[in-house]
Amino acid sequence: MIQRPRSPSAFQEARRKSFYDGQSAVLDWDELEILGPNITDKYTLSQLARMSGNAYALPEQSNWWDIDEKWNRSSPVGWEDPDMNGFRGHVFATPDNSTIVLSIKGTTTYGGTAKQDKLNDNLLFSCCCSRSPWIFGTVCDCYSGKSRCDNTCLHEALMDDNLFYSIGLNLYNNLTQIYPESNIWLIGHSLGGAVASLLSATFGSPSVAFESPGEALAAKRLYLPPPPSGEVHPGIIHVYHTADPIPQGACTGPFSWCIQAGYALETQCHLGKSIVYDTVTELKWRVELRRHTIKTVIEEVIEREWDVPEATPEEECIDCFKWEFGEYKNETISA
């Protein structure tokens, strides 16, 4: 069962009214029974994780993951120019086109997309434009002094047409034009999974995100109206393990790799429900960034001989509690 806004145009108008007019529009939502991924099944999660991993590659490359033959028909997105700086992934389809899976690439620290990946990371998952005493420079000018950050400025920064959420909106609309009768699933790893989740919150399609930073704060800053069930979007699933610091907002501090590389990945709260593998307790793993890779997730977590944990909502989760957010840009800034 998913909840989907009855009118995509009304959904976007509700966002506009909320941002510009401070009004909460009443939206009509439909509860729909559609074919979604069986998240209790290890093989299904493995296939989705492998497709998420394939967003980082082309079929002829060595890091392309083998997947079930029913998904072997795929089309690249954004791979036309290997040096192109932007959104990448693949569209997978069943032989009868009944199910279409959009797999969105996550962050890479090198190559043509690295700069844009980093910009999206710091806009979506930092408390205030990646402002930190340990990071040189910010990605937007929303800091308003004394641990305050301007909400309007943050929203406008996230609405740039060149950012991955906006690109994803257009891509999803194109897919619905090409496959009007198909079920569309959204998946991805890390940044790609968070973008998939935000698109799921927009269109009401099922999504599965692997090892993604918390995107709930970004959803608020994008003024995405929540469904009748509140912030627990029925169709959004996160999968991560406890030895990965990124989905837990723990890759912070002056000595963390994230900060040293200029990434402020500070959020930990996720939309929907989360499947959390306790690799720290069960496998005695240390929390370290090398556990974040999709290869680790596939081979050492999901495909390990153990049961899939139950998906549960993250309750009483708070992001950026040390910050104050409001309308400050017209006030005198004292840095």
Side-chain angles (χ1 to χ4, degrees), residues 60 66 132 157 200 231:
E60 65 272 13
D66 291 334
S132 166
S200 176
E231 292 185 7

Side-chain angles (χ1 to χ4, degrees), residues 19 84 91 99 126 129 147 150 153 214 221 245-246 268 318 326 332:
F19 174 55
M84 187 171 67
V91 175
T99 301
S126 70
C129 306
S147 297
D150 188 81
C153 175
R221 291 173 173 176
I246 287 181
Q268 62 179 327
I318 300 175
T332 300

Side-chain angles (χ1 to χ4, degrees), residues 47-301:
Q47 290 296 297
L48 295 177
R50 285 168 173 257
M51 282 188 272
S52 296
N54 285 344
Y56 291 90
L58 291 170
E60 65 272 13
Q61 294 178 330
S62 60
N63 56 333
W64 182 267
W65 292 87
D66 291 334
I67 54 177
D68 193 297
E69 61 181 11
K70 75 176 182 180
W71 298 112
N72 264 345
R73 193 162 59 87
S74 65
S75 303
V77 175
W79 284 94
E80 295 81 3
D81 180 356
D83 296 321
M84 187 171 67
N85 178 17
F87 188 108
R88 285 186 187 174
H90 287 277
V91 175
F92 296 88
T94 53
D96 61 357
N97 287 339
S98 60
T99 301
I100 305 298
V101 179
L102 172 59
S103 175
I104 304 171
K105 187 185 81 67
T107 297
T108 46
T109 57
Y110 56 88
T113 70
K115 182 178 180 180
Q116 195 73 355
D117 292 344
K118 187 176 185 178
L119 173 64
N120 278 268
D121 277 326
N122 281 332
L123 280 172
L124 289 171
F125 313 125
S126 70
C127 292
C128 187
C129 306
S130 72
R131 184 177 178 86
S132 166
W134 307 298
I135 293 180
F136 178 77
T138 58
V139 292
C140 51
D141 188 28
C142 304
Y143 176 67
S144 301
K146 298 180 180 178
S147 297
R148 300 190 308 173
C149 200
D150 188 81
N151 273 330
T152 298
C153 175
L154 287 169
H155 172 77
E156 291 176 342
L158 285 173
M159 289 305 295
D160 190 302
D161 288 342
N162 293 316
L163 295 179
F164 291 171
Y165 172 74
S166 296
I167 295 172
L169 291 179
N170 293 329
L171 177 57
Y172 185 95
N173 285 325
N174 289 340
L175 288 175
T176 60
Q177 294 293 319
I178 299 170
Y179 305 104
E181 303 300 323
S182 303
N183 288 324
I184 298 177
W185 300 353
L186 303 156
I187 63 173
H189 168 255
S190 195
L191 168 63
V195 174
S197 174
L198 292 170
L199 294 175
S200 176
T202 303
F203 294 106
S205 288
S207 68
V208 180
F210 298 92
E211 307 297 322
S212 293
E215 86 292 18
L217 184 60
K220 291 179 180 178
R221 291 173 173 176
L222 288 165
Y223 289 85
L224 302 185
S229 58
E231 292 185 7
V232 182
H233 291 256
I236 297 176
I237 297 296
H238 285 272
V239 182
Y240 62 92
H241 66 90
T242 55
D244 182 355
I246 287 181
Q248 302 174 93
C251 195
T252 55
F255 303 110
S256 72
W257 180 92
C258 295
I259 290 294
Q260 291 181 14
Y263 294 83
L265 306 180
E266 300 167 308
T267 55
Q268 62 179 327
C269 303
H270 299 90
L271 299 173
K273 294 182 178 181
S274 296
I275 295 172
V276 183
Y277 291 85
D278 191 356
T279 52
V280 170
T281 300
E282 298 296 329
L283 303 181
K284 310 303 180 187
W285 285 2
R286 292 193 309 165
V287 177
E288 49 190 344
L289 190 61
R290 70 185 182 93
R291 303 292 190 184
H292 178 67
T293 66
I294 191 65
K295 186 176 189 295
T296 297
V297 176
I298 294 170
E299 295 182 342
E300 300 184 51
V301 180

